[in-house]
Amino acid sequence: MKDCWIAPSILAADFARLGAEIETVLDAGADIIHFDVMDNHYVPNLTIGPMVCQAIRDYGIQAPIDVHLMVEPVDAMIEEFIKVGASYITFHPEASKHVDRSLEMIRSAGVKAGLVLNPATPVSVLEWVIDKLDMILVMSINPGFGGQKFIPSTHDKIRQIRQMIDARGLDTRLEVDGGVKIDNIAEIRASGADTFVAGSAIFGSSDYVATLKAMRAALKTV
Ligand code: DX5
Ligand code: ZN
C-alpha cells in the first residue's frame, strides 16, 4: 500500500485567517490540503470556490490542493479549478451527466482526477472508469457538514475498493472523508485507506502539531 497522507480539511479552519491556518497545518506535517466546495444545491451547505483557491496559491502555498467538489453540475467548476492550481479534483458521479467526460476534462489538463462515493453509492460505479482514477474518495459521512460521526459500514466499502485497486494492479489513492479522528485512523488504515481527510479533529484541536503527530503514531501501529 501507498504511504499515508494526512489531508486536513480547511472546512474546519478559521476562514478569517485561512492562509496562516494552512501554513500552520503544513508546518505541522500535513501532506495535502483538502478543499471542500459546496454549492447549496448538491449539498445544503455553501462554502468556498475557485477565487479562494487562487488566493491560497497567491499567498504562496505550494502544497498539493485536493479539491472535493460537492456541486452540481461539475464541468464548469472543473474548468475553473484547473485554472487556479488544483492538484486533485474529485467529484460525485451523481452530479455529472457524463462522468467519463468530466474525468477526461480533469486528466487532459494534467490534473489528478477522482470520484467520490457517498455512503449509499455502490462501488459498482467505479467499474468502467477505475483505470482513469488517480483518487477514489470514500465518504464516511453524508457530505455537507464537518463534525459528523464516522459511519461504520464504510470499513467494508474501503476493503472492497482496496481489493478492486489491488486486483488490477492500479496506483489509485484511496481516501476517506468524514469523522476521521486520532482514535479511529488506524482502523481505517487497516481496512485499506491511504489518504485521511480530517477537519474538526485537526482544526478543532488546540495543538495541530500534537494532533498530526498522534495521527501518524496511530497509523504506524498498523
Ligand atoms: C464534508 C466534507 C469533509 C469535512 C470533514 O462534506 O467533505 O471534508 O470537512 O469534516 P470532519 O473531519 O470534521 O468530519
Ligand atoms: Zn471533503
Side-chain angles (χ1 to χ4, degrees):
M1 255 203 290
K2 287 179 166 300
D3 280 0
C4 289
W5 281 0
I6 296 177
S9 164
I10 56 172
L11 184 64
D14 178 355
F15 279 137
R17 304 172 46 252
L18 192 54
E21 285 272 79
I22 294 174
E23 256 174 356
T24 307
V25 92
L26 286 170
D27 288 346
D31 299 286
I32 182 167
I33 297 299
H34 187 79
F35 189 109
D36 288 302
V37 186
M38 305 187 189
D39 68 348
N40 181 37
H41 170 70
Y42 180 68
V43 291
N45 205 352
L46 181 67
T47 59
I48 46 177
M51 287 170 68
V52 175
C53 189
Q54 180 72 64
I56 291 169
R57 288 296 187 217
D58 291 346
Y59 184 81
I61 302 294
Q62 289 172 5
I65 298 180
D66 171 29
V67 173
H68 174 192
L69 291 180
M70 287 160 275
V71 304
E72 184 180 2
V74 300
D75 290 353
M77 280 302 111
I78 286 173
E79 271 179 27
E80 293 307 312
F81 275 99
I82 288 169
K83 287 186 211 153
V84 296
S87 313
Y88 284 79
I89 300 177
T90 64
F91 65 90
H92 292 249
E94 297 89 347
S96 173
K97 283 209 171 100
H98 303 285
V99 170
D100 184 86
R101 180 187 290 155
S102 301
L103 288 171
E104 205 45 53
M105 282 177 69
I106 304 171
R107 291 163 55 84
S108 63
V111 175
K112 309 262 191 209
L115 285 183
V116 192
L117 275 63
N118 283 330
T121 305
V123 299
S124 58
V125 76
L126 300 170
E127 193 176 350
W128 296 101
V129 288
I130 191 165
D131 55 324
K132 298 179 175 172
L133 302 178
D134 299 291
M135 177 90 91
I136 297 167
L137 173 49
V138 177
M139 293 307 296
S140 38
I141 54 166
N142 286 291
F145 302 95
Q148 302 180 72
K149 257 204 152 150
F150 185 95
I151 299 172
S153 63
T154 311
H155 285 292
D156 283 337
K157 193 181 253 180
I158 298 167
R159 281 191 279 268
Q160 279 190 30
I161 298 173
R162 170 51 55 201
Q163 273 181 3
M164 289 174 78
I165 293 170
D166 291 350
R168 290 165 175 79
L170 295 169
D171 202 27
T172 326
R173 290 205 81 93
L174 181 44
E175 181 175 41
V176 176
D177 185 2
V180 177
K181 310 277 172 204
I182 294 169
D183 63 9
N184 64 5
I185 197 167
E187 202 185 344
I188 300 167
R189 170 67 168 170
S191 296
D194 52 44
T195 307
F196 308 87
V197 177
S200 50
I202 294 173
F203 289 105
S205 73
S206 53
D207 184 344
Y208 303 167
V209 176
T211 304
L212 276 151
K213 255 196 192 153
M215 286 182 162
R216 290 246 191 256
L219 287 168
K220 281 208 178 105
T221 65
V222 183

